[in-house]
Amino acid sequence: MIQTRQTKLYREVAGDGPPVMLVHSGICDSRMWDPQWESFARAHRVIRYDMRGFGRSPLAPGAYSPPADLIALLDELALGPVALVGASMGGGISLQVAVARPDLVSALVLVGSGVRGHDWSDYVTRSWAEEEAAFERGDLDAAVEVNLQIWVDGPHRSPEEVDPEVRRKVAEMQRQALELALECPEAREEALVLDVGDRLGEISAPTLAIVGEQDVQDVHVVAERLEREIGATRVTIEGAAHLPSLERPREFDELVLGFLAEVEGA
């Protein structure tokens, strides 16, 4: 396991019941789970946290591994096996944890998840390059807008077709992450399970893969792969792009809480 300099990650805990860990996406922080915070806590012990470089968890110089950080947090909290609900990058991190420490994972909910090693489309890689160029020249507003267009709007919607409050909230979270990255350029992110894409078949935890109808095609392809290689239940939420928990919280909650109830009752 990668040894990284330990840092105190911001976390919140609420409710009682079977434990659920919410793992945010790379364009958000733990505030993306605001719509789920009360509803999930009615029947679960719910934890959300900010990864390093997001929200209220600053970066530190040197190497660090987000999956290793999550494992350290789970070990610290000593909750036993938890259901990991991971969005986007958080889904990819949750997959690495499920392979590295299956004893910590009772179930997986992967929302618009990526998988390390996926061959991303030109559409996505061009957007990443555009974001990186804006960041390098110090134009954080432009970098944020690129992310909003690809992930919040999606490839088939205009900004005017998206809830302006969702756009505003994601923009605030993403800009803060970019500012934290500027403050600590010496930080270096590393993976924990380099070959996780080749080891999906090792995952035995019940898995739900959720995708937004309006998300990029890559995410739909990954969800199909999770269905095929893990046996995940794959569900599409209409009228949402990469962040269905923010755009369609009611439908999202019904799906996830229903799935968790089935797993807990099995």
mmCIF file of all heavy atoms in Angstrom, residues 120-130 150:
data_model
loop_
_atom_site.group_PDB
_atom_site.id
_atom_site.type_symbol
_atom_site.label_atom_id
_atom_site.label_comp_id
_atom_site.label_asym_id
_atom_site.label_seq_id
_atom_site.Cartn_x
_atom_site.Cartn_y
_atom_site.Cartn_z
ATOM 1 N N TRP A 120 -10.535 7.184 -22.732
ATOM 2 C CA TRP A 120 -11.505 8.273 -22.816
ATOM 3 C C TRP A 120 -11.596 8.828 -24.242
ATOM 4 O O TRP A 120 -10.611 8.872 -24.970
ATOM 5 C CB TRP A 120 -11.149 9.385 -21.840
ATOM 6 C CG TRP A 120 -11.342 8.953 -20.419
ATOM 7 C CD1 TRP A 120 -10.415 8.385 -19.600
ATOM 8 C CD2 TRP A 120 -12.558 9.018 -19.663
ATOM 9 N NE1 TRP A 120 -10.965 8.101 -18.371
ATOM 10 C CE2 TRP A 120 -12.274 8.475 -18.381
ATOM 11 C CE3 TRP A 120 -13.844 9.483 -19.926
ATOM 12 C CZ2 TRP A 120 -13.243 8.387 -17.373
ATOM 13 C CZ3 TRP A 120 -14.807 9.402 -18.924
ATOM 14 C CH2 TRP A 120 -14.506 8.859 -17.675
ATOM 15 N N SER A 121 -12.758 9.273 -24.603
ATOM 16 C CA SER A 121 -13.034 9.782 -25.943
ATOM 17 C C SER A 121 -12.313 11.100 -26.199
ATOM 18 O O SER A 121 -11.882 11.789 -25.272
ATOM 19 C CB SER A 121 -14.540 9.994 -26.121
ATOM 20 O OG SER A 121 -14.991 11.039 -25.266
ATOM 21 N N ASP A 122 -12.206 11.454 -27.475
ATOM 22 C CA ASP A 122 -11.609 12.741 -27.841
ATOM 23 C C ASP A 122 -12.380 13.901 -27.231
ATOM 24 O O ASP A 122 -11.791 14.918 -26.839
ATOM 25 C CB ASP A 122 -11.579 12.890 -29.368
ATOM 26 C CG ASP A 122 -10.556 11.987 -30.025
ATOM 27 O OD1 ASP A 122 -9.677 11.472 -29.305
ATOM 28 O OD2 ASP A 122 -10.643 11.793 -31.252
ATOM 29 N N TYR A 123 -13.691 13.770 -27.152
ATOM 30 C CA TYR A 123 -14.528 14.833 -26.584
ATOM 31 C C TYR A 123 -14.093 15.151 -25.150
ATOM 32 O O TYR A 123 -13.925 16.317 -24.771
ATOM 33 C CB TYR A 123 -15.996 14.406 -26.606
ATOM 34 C CG TYR A 123 -16.933 15.360 -25.915
ATOM 35 C CD1 TYR A 123 -17.321 16.557 -26.527
ATOM 36 C CD2 TYR A 123 -17.437 15.089 -24.645
ATOM 37 C CE1 TYR A 123 -18.189 17.445 -25.888
ATOM 38 C CE2 TYR A 123 -18.296 15.963 -24.002
ATOM 39 C CZ TYR A 123 -18.667 17.139 -24.629
ATOM 40 O OH TYR A 123 -19.511 18.017 -23.988
ATOM 41 N N VAL A 124 -13.881 14.119 -24.344
ATOM 42 C CA VAL A 124 -13.500 14.322 -22.946
ATOM 43 C C VAL A 124 -12.048 14.785 -22.841
ATOM 44 O O VAL A 124 -11.738 15.733 -22.102
ATOM 45 C CB VAL A 124 -13.714 13.030 -22.134
ATOM 46 C CG1 VAL A 124 -13.159 13.191 -20.717
ATOM 47 C CG2 VAL A 124 -15.200 12.677 -22.069
ATOM 48 N N THR A 125 -11.149 14.141 -23.566
ATOM 49 C CA THR A 125 -9.729 14.501 -23.447
ATOM 50 C C THR A 125 -9.465 15.922 -23.951
ATOM 51 O O THR A 125 -8.617 16.632 -23.403
ATOM 52 C CB THR A 125 -8.837 13.494 -24.192
ATOM 53 O OG1 THR A 125 -9.259 13.390 -25.559
ATOM 54 C CG2 THR A 125 -8.920 12.119 -23.546
ATOM 55 N N ARG A 126 -10.186 16.352 -24.985
ATOM 56 C CA ARG A 126 -10.041 17.738 -25.450
ATOM 57 C C ARG A 126 -10.502 18.718 -24.377
ATOM 58 O O ARG A 126 -9.890 19.768 -24.168
ATOM 59 C CB ARG A 126 -10.844 17.965 -26.740
ATOM 60 C CG ARG A 126 -10.187 17.429 -28.003
ATOM 61 C CD ARG A 126 -10.796 18.065 -29.255
ATOM 62 N NE ARG A 126 -12.259 17.923 -29.278
ATOM 63 C CZ ARG A 126 -12.904 16.917 -29.852
ATOM 64 N NH1 ARG A 126 -12.232 15.942 -30.439
ATOM 65 N NH2 ARG A 126 -14.224 16.874 -29.841
ATOM 66 N N SER A 127 -11.568 18.383 -23.697
ATOM 67 C CA SER A 127 -12.076 19.253 -22.631
ATOM 68 C C SER A 127 -11.091 19.329 -21.483
ATOM 69 O O SER A 127 -10.861 20.404 -20.911
ATOM 70 C CB SER A 127 -13.432 18.732 -22.135
ATOM 71 O OG SER A 127 -14.402 18.796 -23.157
ATOM 72 N N TRP A 128 -10.502 18.192 -21.132
ATOM 73 C CA TRP A 128 -9.479 18.203 -20.075
ATOM 74 C C TRP A 128 -8.290 19.070 -20.469
ATOM 75 O O TRP A 128 -7.754 19.816 -19.649
ATOM 76 C CB TRP A 128 -9.015 16.785 -19.788
ATOM 77 C CG TRP A 128 -9.971 15.981 -18.951
ATOM 78 C CD1 TRP A 128 -10.934 16.475 -18.117
ATOM 79 C CD2 TRP A 128 -10.052 14.563 -18.874
ATOM 80 N NE1 TRP A 128 -11.614 15.441 -17.519
ATOM 81 C CE2 TRP A 128 -11.097 14.260 -17.954
ATOM 82 C CE3 TRP A 128 -9.366 13.522 -19.478
ATOM 83 C CZ2 TRP A 128 -11.449 12.951 -17.638
ATOM 84 C CZ3 TRP A 128 -9.707 12.213 -19.157
ATOM 85 C CH2 TRP A 128 -10.741 11.935 -18.252
ATOM 86 N N ALA A 129 -7.879 18.976 -21.726
ATOM 87 C CA ALA A 129 -6.749 19.788 -22.197
ATOM 88 C C ALA A 129 -7.104 21.275 -22.156
ATOM 89 O O ALA A 129 -6.265 22.117 -21.783
ATOM 90 C CB ALA A 129 -6.356 19.369 -23.612
ATOM 91 N N GLU A 130 -8.333 21.602 -22.508
ATOM 92 C CA GLU A 130 -8.779 22.992 -22.481
ATOM 93 C C GLU A 130 -8.808 23.515 -21.044
ATOM 94 O O GLU A 130 -8.387 24.646 -20.764
ATOM 95 C CB GLU A 130 -10.172 23.100 -23.109
ATOM 96 C CG GLU A 130 -10.673 24.519 -23.270
ATOM 97 C CD GLU A 130 -12.036 24.570 -23.933
ATOM 98 O OE1 GLU A 130 -12.476 23.555 -24.505
ATOM 99 O OE2 GLU A 130 -12.677 25.647 -23.864
ATOM 100 N N ILE A 150 -18.995 20.437 -19.799
ATOM 101 C CA ILE A 150 -18.889 19.016 -20.121
ATOM 102 C C ILE A 150 -19.644 18.145 -19.126
ATOM 103 O O ILE A 150 -20.310 17.180 -19.516
ATOM 104 C CB ILE A 150 -17.416 18.569 -20.221
ATOM 105 C CG1 ILE A 150 -17.341 17.097 -20.669
ATOM 106 C CG2 ILE A 150 -16.660 18.774 -18.940
ATOM 107 C CD1 ILE A 150 -15.939 16.603 -20.944
#
